Amino acid sequence: MLIKEFISETNKNKMIADMLKYHKVQNVKIKLKAMKDFAHFDVDRGTLELSTKYSRIKNIQIKEFLITILHEIYHAMDAKKYGWKKFKEMYEMEMNLMIAKGKDEYKDNKYEIEAEKFGQGIWKAWSRKFKKEGLI
Ligand SMILES: [Zn+2]
């Protein structure tokens, strides 16, 4: 039996494009960057950064890949909803509030908690859809 070890760059890009479009953030500014994480939403600039390190992704990384992209998409959805400058202010205010409470500025940040919940809650549905389409 042939087991696909890698997801091709074409399929990876198609999945990202599909998720951005479905969640209506296809117009978010995108920047390609060499970094360890699959993706990162730069709240300061309203930019979704995608890693150039993973032109192809390993099959075993698919869960982490989908959760990360969806988590960052959620930040982009928030930025679209409030306007990215306003969202930046809200995000910073939340960070300061957490620091003032002696909590962690990221781990206890409500925008991070919501984004993670979104990614964890929806990645399986995307995984099923992409499997059906033969992308993964
Ligand atoms: Zn986040």
Side-chain angles (χ1 to χ4, degrees), residues 34-125:
M35 59 181 180
K36 194 176 156 281
D37 294 333
F38 287 116
H40 172 70
F41 189 76
D42 183 344
V43 174
D44 290 338
R45 294 178 184 82
T47 305
L48 178 65
E49 298 173 344
L50 298 174
S51 178
T52 53
K53 278 200 168 182
Y54 307 94
S55 60
R56 298 184 306 166
I57 54 169
K58 283 187 186 146
N59 229 317
I60 53 161
Q61 293 176 308
I62 199 74
K63 178 183 175 185
E64 190 197 339
F65 166 74
L66 291 175
I67 289 173
T68 306
I69 298 289
L70 290 161
H71 174 122
E72 304 309 330
I73 280 177
Y74 192 83
H75 290 319
M77 287 160 69
D78 266 348
K80 185 186 170 188
K81 186 165 144 193
Y82 302 110
W84 73 266
K85 281 182 184 162
K86 176 82 186 150
F87 178 56
K88 181 187 171 212
E89 281 175 24
M90 291 161 69
Y91 190 95
E92 280 169 357
M93 209 184 284
E94 174 72 8
M95 280 175 100
N96 292 333
L97 186 67
M98 288 306 114
I99 293 166
K101 283 183 172 176
K103 292 186 175 180
D104 189 278
E105 61 200 275
Y106 293 106
K107 241 179 34 212
D108 300 313
N109 184 313
K110 66 179 177 186
Y111 301 112
E112 291 303 331
I113 292 167
E114 283 166 11
E116 193 56 24
K117 224 186 259 174
F118 179 76
Q120 295 281 352
I122 205 172
W123 79 272
K124 275 185 187 159

